């Protein structure tokens, strides 16, 4: 029970809470989206518990997901991206390494016994990661912020954690030293290892308990001198993508959330077609999908997100790479698209 309580995190206090209160995005005790946003719509759109438990969709792969193991993370000049599964990505940019939303646990849950279970192993052990320069968190939901992974990275790495406002309270409770926590509001930046990392707007929500929106959620811009990457975190589609593209783009690569969508929550997760539209708004070159294939978090079939994405990318002439978990992609010379997932439906 103590471990479960610790995994719930902590409420911002002291100077951290004061920064939260001073944010222009915090009103009446909660962070707010700039666009009015519902986490769940009512009526017939709302999925039932029975649909989650007994729906007929094939929500798991029919065979083991093919992994790519042993891909070297050389941190060479240029831009390389390695998707490990769900939203966890290693970005190697101009000699620096940035790890996004690391989750190595078998379940995205405060307890190892319940909650969505991983559909494929991680292609690399946490202890085998190369030296990191930054660890970036988009928001505090369990499938993006995992206490055991954070604690392991605190022991094995020296890199700072860059997080949205308020999320540092969770890290502090889990033993991350204060000097390794950098909290940012939307459009605030930090310079790390020759990169500028900027927290940018997303359309989502936060919370690890029944209380919501006490911490901020964000997308991220990772910018070197020559290369730029955008990561959505979790977000519904909104006109803020065009503003981010104008202010921070163009981007050599975008890492776009495509899974866990539903007509019951259309404003907090993008549908695949919206991910393509957002990529174009952002003025992205190569699109790499994330937030699919690893955890069963919605009612849609397992491979539907990437099939829909591929169709829309072809229709709109968007450069697309769909790597296997662990496959290292050179953003300047991406591999020809291989529909490897179609053998698993």
């Amino acid at each position: 029970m103590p471990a479960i309580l610790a995994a719930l995190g902590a409420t911002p206090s002291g100077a951290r809470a004061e920064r939260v209160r001073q944010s222009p995005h915090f009103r009446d005790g909660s962070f707010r989206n700039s666009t009015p946003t519902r986490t769940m719509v009512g009526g017939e759109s709302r999925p039932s518990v029975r649909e989650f438990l007994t729906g007929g969709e094939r929500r798991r792969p029919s065979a083991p997901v093919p992994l790519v193991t042993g891909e070297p993370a050389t941190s060479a000049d240029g831009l390389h991206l390695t998707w490990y599964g769900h939203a966890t990505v290693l970005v190697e940019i101009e000699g620096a390494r940035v790890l996004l939303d690391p989750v190595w646990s078998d379940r995205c849950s405060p307890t190892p016994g319940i909650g969505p279970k991983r559909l494929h192993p991680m292609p690399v052990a946490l202890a085998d990661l190369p030296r990191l320069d930054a660890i970036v968190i988009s928001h505090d939901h369990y499938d993006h912020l995992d206490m055991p992974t954070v604690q392991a990275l605190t022991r094995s790495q020296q890199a700072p954690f860059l997080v949205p406002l308020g999320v540092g309270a969770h890290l502090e409770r889990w033993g991350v030293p204060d000097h390794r926590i950098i909290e940012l509001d939307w459009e605030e930046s930090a310079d790390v290892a020759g990169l500028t990392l900027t927290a940018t707007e997303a359309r989502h929500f936060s919370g690890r308990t029944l209380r919501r929106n006490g911490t901020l959620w964000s997308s991220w811009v990772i910018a070197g001198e020559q290369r730029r990457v955008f990561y959505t975190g979790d977000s519904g589609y909104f006109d803020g993508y065009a503003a981010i593209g104008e202010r921070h783009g163009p981007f050599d690569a975008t890492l776009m959330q495509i899974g866990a969508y539903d007509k019951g929550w259309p404003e907090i997760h993008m549908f695949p077609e919206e991910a393509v539209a957002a990529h174009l708004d952002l003025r992205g070159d190569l699109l790499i999908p994330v937030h699919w294939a690893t955890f069963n978090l919605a009612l849609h079939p397992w491979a539907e997100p990437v099939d829909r994405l591929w169709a829309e990318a072809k229709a709109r002439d968007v450069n697309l790479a769909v790597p296997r978990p662990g496959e290292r992609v050179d953003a300047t010379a991406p591999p020809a698209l291989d529909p490897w997932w179609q053998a698993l439906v």
Side-chain angles (χ1 to χ4, degrees):
M1 185 62 72
I4 295 175
L5 293 176
L8 299 179
T11 301
S13 61
R16 181 169 285 115
E18 182 58 28
R19 281 203 69 200
V20 164
R21 287 191 292 268
Q22 290 177 357
S23 170
H25 313 295
F26 189 82
R27 302 193 309 275
D28 301 323
S30 298
F31 282 102
R32 307 294 180 94
N33 288 293
S34 62
T35 301
T37 300
R38 297 167 295 176
T39 56
M40 183 77 74
V41 301
E44 295 182 358
S45 295
R46 185 190 297 268
S48 67
V49 173
R50 182 177 180 180
E51 286 178 294
F52 269 108
L53 297 178
T54 63
E57 304 87 353
R58 184 180 290 278
R59 294 165 60 197
R60 304 174 63 88
S62 62
V65 174
L67 308 179
V68 177
T69 60
E71 285 276 88
T74 59
S75 198
D77 289 342
L79 176 59
H80 297 80
L81 305 117
T82 306
W83 174 62
Y84 292 132
H86 198 56
T88 303
V89 181
L90 178 65
V91 178
E92 299 171 81
I93 177 170
E94 297 181 4
R97 301 187 187 101
V98 180
L99 185 64
L100 304 177
D101 281 351
V103 175
W104 259 258
S105 290
D106 285 336
R107 296 183 186 270
C108 46
S109 165
T111 173
I114 60 173
K117 185 175 174 59
R118 182 177 294 279
L119 299 176
H120 65 80
M122 287 298 267
V124 63
L126 192 60
D128 292 335
L129 286 175
R131 180 190 56 79
L132 303 173
D133 295 288
I135 302 163
V136 169
I137 306 296
S138 64
H139 64 297
D140 69 2
H141 286 159
Y142 290 99
D143 58 322
H144 295 259
L145 179 62
D146 178 56
M147 181 184 74
T149 302
V150 167
Q151 291 176 326
L153 289 170
T154 301
R155 294 188 296 268
S156 64
Q157 300 278 348
Q158 299 299 316
F161 291 80
L162 288 87
V163 301
L165 285 182
V167 175
H170 303 316
L171 304 190
E172 183 179 48
R173 182 173 188 182
W174 300 339
V176 180
D178 187 64
H179 72 270
R180 288 182 61 184
I181 301 172
I182 300 173
E183 287 185 288
L184 300 177
D185 203 343
W186 292 341
E187 294 302 326
E188 290 183 343
S189 300
D191 294 330
V192 178
L195 305 175
T196 298
L197 295 100
T198 304
T200 44
E201 188 174 356
R203 189 185 186 193
H204 200 55
F205 69 107
S206 67
R208 295 176 75 82
T209 63
L210 294 178
R211 181 178 183 267
R212 289 182 170 178
N213 300 342
T215 64
L216 188 59
W217 49 94
S218 68
S219 56
W220 286 88
V221 171
I222 304 168
E225 290 188 6
Q226 304 295 329
R227 305 291 184 182
R228 288 175 177 264
V229 176
F230 177 82
Y231 167 49
T232 56
D234 278 2
S235 180
Y237 183 75
F238 71 123
D239 60 9
Y241 286 123
I244 294 169
E246 182 66 26
R247 188 175 298 117
H248 298 286
F251 294 99
D252 298 279
T254 68
L255 301 164
M256 306 298 291
Q257 169 257 304
I258 66 163
Y261 51 80
D262 191 272
K263 62 183 180 180
W265 50 86
E267 298 175 359
I268 56 170
H269 279 174
M270 284 187 287
F271 292 88
E273 296 79 7
E274 292 176 320
V276 173
H279 169 84
L280 293 170
D281 290 346
L282 290 158
R283 299 192 293 157
D285 184 2
L286 177 67
L287 190 162
I288 296 179
V290 300
H291 207 273
W292 78 285
T294 306
F295 294 110
N296 193 340
L297 301 174
L299 294 171
H300 57 67
W302 176 77
E304 182 184 278
V306 73
D307 278 333
R308 289 175 58 171
L309 180 79
W310 190 20
E312 186 71 4
K314 287 189 289 187
R316 304 191 68 174
D317 197 26
V318 164
N319 191 18
L320 178 66
V322 184
R324 296 162 175 80
E327 183 177 355
R328 187 170 182 257
V329 174
D330 183 342
T332 61
L337 196 144
D338 170 20
W340 56 267
W341 64 89
Q342 292 184 346
L344 309 180
V345 298

